[in-house]
Amino acid sequence: MKLLYTINSPYARKVRIVAAEKHIEVTLEEVVLSAPDCPVKQHNPLGKVPVLVLPDGDSLYDSRVIVEYLDNRTPLAHLIPQDLNAKVKVRRWEALADGICDAAVATMQEQRKSADKQDAEFIERQMSKVKSGLKELNEDLGKTEGVGKSNWCVNGTFSLADIAVGCMLGYLNLRFGSVINLAAEFPNLERLQLTLLKRPSFKGSMPVA
Ligand SMILES: N[C@@H](CCC(=O)N[C@@H](CS)C(=O)NCC(=O)O)C(=O)O
């Protein structure tokens, strides 16, 4: 299996971490999305990473489909709970974390335009999604205090929810580290991030400035 990815994509990082946590061997192929010969389009008509290319040539996208596939490749250490109630909780955390990434990526793309072409209102709207998403996740994480042995997002157990939130935080730190002070504004998320950074899967997939 081959994963097409870019180094700083938070969605692709989520997939890389799930593969590492599940000890599933995946060949990593870093791509440049703007390159004329970028292979992503052949496998995903949307031209987005991540894409998982299977041995029979079939391909899977987006990240939510890929993580579900990988999680079910091996029965051990499920990152998506089998129980429906727990599963939808985990997937909601993931949806919010990914949604924050969507707003952050959209902001970045707008800010890359020349100053006269940037839409300040659009940027403000996207950044307010980022902030309100972080506020909600930070509050929800506060409610997990004392559930299980660690303060993981759902039911005191490490899951895809923690991975998705950790990847989102890594991306925000990379792109908006100077404007979002996690420790001061969202201390529960900061604590989660510090815990996650002790895991080899997170340490080995850090975004690069
Ligand atoms: N919902 C998708 C989002 C994927 C996505 O937006 N990837 C970005 C990189 S961070 C991308 O490939 N952008 C290229 C484009 O939009 O053309 C997922 O979870 O995989």
Side-chain angles (χ1 to χ4, degrees):
M1 281 187 297
K2 186 171 68 177
L3 182 73
L4 306 180
Y5 78 107
T6 56
I7 196 92
N8 289 333
S9 164
Y11 317 99
R13 187 179 183 208
K14 186 174 58 167
V15 171
R16 285 152 67 207
I17 290 174
V18 165
E21 292 284 346
K22 300 278 296 183
H23 302 285
I24 296 171
E25 212 169 300
V26 172
T27 305
L28 296 177
E29 184 174 329
E30 192 179 344
V31 298
V32 178
L33 288 165
S34 58
D37 60 349
C38 178
V40 169
K41 260 272 170 79
Q42 292 164 31
H43 300 285
N44 176 359
L46 301 174
K48 294 185 180 200
V49 288
V51 180
L52 186 70
V53 185
L54 301 177
D56 65 3
D58 207 359
S59 53
L60 298 181
Y61 47 83
D62 61 7
S63 66
R64 295 185 212 181
V65 173
I66 302 173
V67 294
E68 175 132 19
Y69 173 76
L70 291 177
D71 196 44
N72 285 292
R73 290 262 311 178
T74 62
L76 294 175
H78 272 295
L79 296 166
I80 303 172
Q82 303 290 286
D83 167 73
L84 181 63
N85 282 333
K87 178 179 169 152
V88 292
K89 273 193 203 166
V90 164
R91 300 237 83 165
R92 198 189 83 156
W93 279 78
E94 181 193 23
L96 186 47
D98 282 9
I100 293 172
C101 289
D102 293 344
V105 168
T107 303
M108 269 302 297
Q109 285 169 346
E110 191 65 20
Q111 287 177 335
R112 280 189 178 140
K113 294 180 183 168
S114 59
D116 59 317
K117 294 215 169 87
Q118 286 182 23
D119 180 342
E121 253 177 55
F122 176 83
I123 291 177
E124 204 183 305
R125 210 165 48 245
Q126 297 306 318
M127 284 313 284
S128 106
K129 289 176 202 273
V130 170
K131 287 282 178 95
S132 56
L134 288 173
K135 183 169 175 287
E136 173 103 359
L137 290 177
N138 188 64
E139 281 171 9
D140 283 355
L141 202 53
K143 294 178 199 152
T144 67
E145 206 71 48
V147 179
K149 286 191 194 126
S150 309
N151 283 125
W152 297 122
C153 297
V154 178
N155 296 347
T157 305
F158 177 66
S159 74
L160 176 64
D162 305 286
I163 296 174
V165 172
C167 292
M168 174 274 290
L169 294 175
Y171 183 76
L172 289 187
N173 198 35
L174 174 76
R175 301 293 190 210
F176 299 96
S178 58
V179 291
I180 298 174
N181 184 341
L182 210 59
E185 293 178 73
F186 308 106
N188 298 329
L189 292 176
E190 165 79 353
R191 202 178 50 239
L192 176 66
Q193 186 178 44
L194 293 176
T195 306
L196 288 169
L197 284 172
K198 293 184 189 135
R199 298 179 89 85
S201 62
F202 270 83
K203 268 194 255 176
S205 61
M206 293 289 285
V208 179

